[in-house]
Amino acid sequence: MASAQKRLREGEEDDPNVVNLMLLPKLSDNEVLASAANSEMRATRGRTQKPSFAQREKARTMQHLDCLEDVARRGTIHTLILNPTSVALEWTRDQAEVLERALVACAAFLVHLDLDPHCCNMPYRETVSMTVAGSCSKLRFLNAFGCPWSRKGLEVLAKTATDLRCLRLGGIAVSVQKPLPTDALRHLASLHQLRELSIENTGITDESLIEIVRGGCGAHLTHLDLTSSDQITEDAIEIVSETCPKLSTISLLNCESVGASGVRSLGSHCHELADVNLQRVRGATAGVQALCTGCSGLSRLVLSVCTLLDEDLDMICASLQNLSELDLNGVSGPGYKSYMKIGRLSSLKRLELNGLRLPEAKMLQVCTAIAEGCPLLEYLGLNNSSATSACVAVVNEALPQCDIKTINCKW
């Protein structure tokens, strides 16, 4: 999904058919203040008060949306990026109505739509997602992270946007305030062309996930993000592994119910995996060795807050010679001799060892091994660890390019 978003932004300032809400002509600060002040004066029946931050941002956002609607009616927009990163208020009805009219106006040509509200306190209104589902039938990329959906909306989306390749749904704001109807996620099984699917914080079940990948997209799927899907177990991950042999990226972050057989199955069937996140996955303990054996091309591996054996870390250091990023934050289990073997990973560029507590002399040995064996290292996280000034000095001397973080290290 991240790669698709990057592709979307390439050339966005030069292509008239690519519109980024935040790159549209903006009101000057004085114009924003004047517009917000007028609204405040009307709201207080003529009593002048300094506009609040929220009022200023609402005025700025409405100006963006009005401009967007005008551009949509006059052009053939195929890419629309609506990342209102400066908005710190709920999407109001009048804002949603302007946005919906703009979406309808450009629906005939729209192929890429990015609706991620980022830092907005509140998600879009449900009417926005329904407008997308009913109008934008040519979509191939849809980032609707943070957008609430109804059961009907998901059903309509699956029937109309049949050429969708990248889809992102969910988000913590949605899961808390207006959860997606989990049984309705089954409708995504109709999207046979999906390559990238992110359903973070959706509460998806094993049954729905299995139906989606068996519906036809499994053979094409390369990216799967199931972050914080606490109802997903190893049963579903085994089916995913068998059905999706082209997977290159999978995130099981906070999927604590996934057991070892699910992790082992990834190693047995998904040999093209390059990026795996197993943070807080209980099955990492007995499954990571099989993963390393079957996916020796891994370039990124996240094992934060997992319990590992010495043999697990030994296998990682022996098998994953292409690894450029390794996250061992808060890992428990391995001894210092296994940590010293990290120095065999000569391709490492980023290493997270936050929370690692070893005796002073052994911590220095680990840092020395890393400094001598990882010449490409650009970032080393040692926050809340037992690292000393000597540890930092030995890394700095060997790797002057390395950014070392040592917050809360008591020297």
Side-chain angles (χ1 to χ4, degrees), residues 3 10 12 14 40 63 66 71 83 95 116-117 130 156-157 160 194 196 255 259 278 300 305 339 368 372 385-386 402:
S3 60
E10 293 178 353
E12 62 185 14
D14 302 321
E40 174 65 14
Q63 188 268 347
D66 287 337
V71 171
N83 294 156
Q95 291 174 329
D116 192 339
M130 194 66 208
V156 173
L157 177 72
T160 57
L194 278 180
E196 301 181 22
C255 296
L278 298 176
R300 179 175 182 264
V305 203
Y339 278 104
T368 301
E372 293 175 350
S385 72
S386 58
C402 187

Side-chain angles (χ1 to χ4, degrees), residues 298-346:
L298 279 174
S299 60
R300 179 175 182 264
L301 179 60
V302 178
L303 293 166
S304 298
V305 203
C306 290
T307 299
L308 301 178
L309 304 174
D310 284 331
E311 293 83 355
D312 296 332
L313 188 49
D314 292 347
M315 177 66 80
I316 291 170
C317 298
S319 303
L320 305 183
Q321 293 305 303
N322 293 320
L323 206 61
S324 62
E325 182 173 342
L326 177 61
D327 188 337
L328 298 174
N329 285 334
V331 163
S332 58
Y336 86 98
K337 290 184 179 179
S338 292
Y339 278 104
M340 286 186 63
K341 293 177 183 178
I342 293 175
R344 299 176 182 178
L345 298 172
S346 58

Side-chain angles (χ1 to χ4, degrees), residues 14-178:
D14 302 321
D15 189 342
N17 295 321
V18 177
V19 175
N20 187 329
L21 179 67
M22 300 312 295
L23 297 180
L24 290 172
K26 298 177 175 61
L27 289 171
S28 67
D29 289 339
N30 288 335
E31 289 174 316
V32 169
L33 285 171
S35 176
N38 288 336
S39 298
E40 174 65 14
M41 186 177 293
R42 289 193 298 272
T44 58
R45 298 182 180 178
R47 298 190 304 273
T48 58
Q49 296 180 12
K50 184 178 180 180
S52 66
F53 171 77
Q55 290 165 334
R56 295 197 302 272
E57 290 305 307
K58 180 178 179 181
R60 193 187 303 275
T61 301
M62 281 303 296
Q63 188 268 347
H64 283 157
L65 291 169
D66 287 337
C67 184
L68 169 63
E69 184 181 12
D70 182 56
V71 171
R73 293 187 183 283
R74 290 187 288 107
T76 56
I77 299 173
H78 60 64
T79 297
L80 184 55
I81 302 168
L82 291 161
N83 294 156
T85 53
S86 66
V87 179
L89 67 159
E90 179 181 1
W91 278 80
T92 58
R93 180 177 297 178
D94 51 350
Q95 291 174 329
E97 289 174 351
V98 176
L99 175 56
E100 289 160 22
R101 290 198 298 270
L103 288 170
V104 171
C106 62
F109 305 97
L110 201 58
V111 177
H112 302 281
L113 178 59
D114 190 340
L115 287 168
D116 192 339
H118 289 301
C119 66
C120 289
N121 287 341
M122 300 287 282
Y124 294 95
R125 289 175 174 265
E126 195 174 282
T127 53
V128 173
S129 58
M130 194 66 208
T131 300
V132 171
S135 304
C136 305
S137 61
K138 295 186 178 181
L139 284 176
R140 299 185 69 176
F141 174 99
L142 174 59
N143 180 2
F145 187 76
C147 301
W149 287 79
S150 65
R151 181 177 284 99
K152 183 65 175 178
L154 287 173
E155 181 182 2
V156 173
L157 177 72
K159 289 181 178 178
T160 57
T162 55
D163 202 29
L164 206 56
R165 307 300 175 90
C166 303
L167 176 63
R168 189 181 185 204
L169 299 174
I172 192 165
V174 171
S175 67
V176 171
Q177 299 171 45
K178 193 173 180 58

